[in-house]
Amino acid sequence: MLLAGCSANREPPPPPAILEGTIQTLSDADDLLFDDAIGSLSEQTTGTGNAKGSFASYTLGIARYDTSNETRKYANVPRDGLATPRSNGRAQLCG
């Protein structure tokens, strides 16, 4: 008895899932950053959930409470040497 088979449209196997092989556990060496609706940093913790820093601001990003060591705090904009956020190269200051 002889069996034969053909398949003209043989597809390659699908690629592995994107999450396969990524980080499985977090540690104290990892930082988790939590932000609000406009991208401002609100909390910073370690990978195991220990508090590491917090940030809260007044209007236009002037720091109200700041214990975080991150540089992009208000609306994900870098801060200048005056600790005020820069937007398009201009410092935003409250008057």
Side-chain angles (χ1 to χ4, degrees):
M1 179 179 269
L2 178 65
L3 294 175
C6 280
S7 176
N9 289 332
R10 190 169 152 173
E11 294 182 23
I18 292 174
L19 298 177
E20 198 171 287
T22 59
I23 297 171
Q24 300 297 319
T25 58
L26 297 172
S27 70
D28 278 334
D30 299 306
D31 280 349
L32 300 177
L33 305 174
F34 299 92
D35 58 4
D36 62 13
I38 64 169
S40 298
L41 177 70
S42 59
E43 298 295 326
Q44 179 180 3
T45 68
T46 65
T48 57
N50 297 321
K52 199 168 179 184
S54 295
F55 176 77
S57 67
Y58 293 109
T59 305
L60 298 176
I62 305 300
R64 179 169 55 100
Y65 181 79
D66 185 4
T67 61
S68 175
N69 61 0
E70 290 299 309
T71 57
R72 292 179 173 264
K73 297 177 183 177
Y74 181 75
N76 198 25
V77 175
R79 299 181 85 71
D80 61 17
L82 300 172
T84 57
R86 290 182 293 163
S87 179
N88 297 328
R90 294 171 288 146
Q92 298 175 344
L93 301 173
C94 290

